[in-house]
Amino acid sequence: EEMENNSEIDLKFNTDPKEIRKQDDGSFLVIDQDGNEVECDSILYATGRKGKIDGLNLESAGVHAEGSFIPVNEYSQTNVPSIYAVGDVTDRIALTPVALMEGHRLADTVFGGMDRPVDHEFVASTVFTTPEIGTVGYSEQEAVEKYGDIDVYKNRFRAMKHSFPQSETYSLFKLIVESKTQRVVGCHVATDGAGEMVQGVAIAIKMGATKEDFDNTIGIHPTSAEELVTMRTPSYYYRDGQKVDKLE
């Protein structure tokens, strides 16, 4: 919503282009999965990744592949015990720091005498849009599926630096908390510098910080990040998989 309001770009989510037609005047017609049509002058279609395994001759070594990716276990081991794979080609989390972690843990396990399986829980990431989107941990839907009962803290506001010039740029902050333990299991931020902000939050979440730990932390004023430690009342809840606004 913020990107649309401030850039005049028409964003269409959950859209899968099924057909692209070049018209007589040189323009293009895009038809999505629901039959909706969009006319445009040019198209940049960059979705998904493909593993670069051509030329590796995996078949001769007996290594199993699924499409262009190589399935592995928690130790990055393929179906052939002496052969390992890490990074994007394993189709786990396609991020450079994740590949570094996988390679480091593989080296520690195979050559360092340690037992270090990969750990893909609570990996922070950022979408470098305007505003940035920073996220770590579980989404609402994922948290409900894993924990059942969760509390959701959410706030949308205009940061002080945008208030004085009367800018219409708003920020969005959301915390996902497991109800039983009060552990923070998700943080999602849409604001300027969200990536820098969420990297620090990821440390706390990875360490198992609770909502009380967040509440006991003094905020830095005036910053947008202080919202993470000042949200006191849940915006809504999920109980037995169902969203409820208030608890009885």
Side-chain angles (χ1 to χ4, degrees):
E1 181 181 342
E2 294 307 311
M3 287 186 282
E4 286 185 323
N5 291 339
N6 293 289
S7 67
E8 297 183 356
I9 297 175
D10 183 12
L11 300 173
K12 298 184 182 298
F13 298 100
N14 301 314
T15 299
D16 184 14
K18 289 296 184 181
E19 185 179 357
I20 299 176
R21 299 177 187 171
K22 188 169 185 178
Q23 306 190 103
D24 294 338
D25 61 357
S27 64
F28 296 92
L29 179 68
V30 180
I31 304 173
D32 69 13
Q33 76 277 11
D34 296 322
N36 298 313
E37 298 182 351
V38 176
E39 291 190 11
C40 53
D41 297 323
S42 59
I43 298 172
L44 173 62
Y45 192 27
T47 304
R49 288 178 172 86
K50 189 175 181 180
K52 195 172 182 179
I53 61 174
D54 297 338
L56 294 181
N57 201 17
L58 297 175
E59 308 82 22
S60 64
V63 176
H64 173 65
E66 293 182 359
S68 64
F69 297 105
I70 304 173
V72 293
N73 62 17
E74 68 272 24
Y75 292 96
S76 298
Q77 190 176 44
T78 69
N79 64 302
V80 178
S82 61
I83 298 178
Y84 300 82
V86 299
D88 295 3
V89 77
T90 62
D91 197 24
R92 291 181 284 188
I93 299 179
L95 295 170
T96 299
V98 172
L100 292 172
M101 175 270 293
E102 293 169 355
H104 197 167
R105 288 180 176 238
L106 169 62
D108 286 343
T109 300
V110 176
F111 304 108
M114 305 178 192
D115 183 9
R116 298 196 72 199
V118 297
D119 183 2
H120 292 113
E121 189 173 36
F122 301 120
V123 174
S125 63
T126 300
V127 181
F128 293 97
T129 48
T130 304
E132 287 183 12
I133 300 172
T135 180
V136 59
Y138 297 91
S139 67
E140 285 184 29
Q141 293 73 20
E142 292 169 341
V144 168
E145 291 176 5
K146 183 174 178 65
Y147 301 106
D149 295 348
I150 62 171
D151 306 337
V152 180
Y153 296 77
K154 181 179 177 181
N155 195 20
R156 178 179 179 270
F157 62 95
R158 188 164 59 186
M160 184 175 291
K161 72 175 184 178
H162 293 297
S163 297
F164 290 127
Q166 295 298 306
S167 166
E168 289 303 314
T169 299
Y170 285 79
S171 298
L172 175 67
F173 284 72
K174 182 191 290 187
L175 290 177
I176 312 295
V177 179
E178 182 193 1
S179 302
K180 183 178 179 180
T181 64
Q182 284 297 291
R183 180 183 180 183
V184 179
V185 297
C187 175
H188 310 282
V189 176
T191 190
D192 299 331
E196 302 285 353
M197 193 182 301
V198 170
Q199 179 66 89
V201 177
I203 298 172
I205 292 180
K206 189 70 175 178
M207 293 176 66
T210 64
K211 185 61 172 63
E212 184 179 9
D213 292 326
F214 275 60
D215 294 343
N216 288 334
T217 302
I218 305 301
I220 302 172
H221 183 76
T223 65
S224 296
E226 66 180 317
E227 194 69 21
L228 293 167
V229 298
T230 57
M231 290 188 288
R232 294 289 187 265
T233 304
S235 302
Y236 47 89
Y237 311 81
Y238 283 85
R239 294 296 182 266
D240 297 322
Q242 299 299 315
K243 182 179 178 179
V244 292
D245 293 329
K246 295 181 179 180
L247 297 180
E248 297 180 357

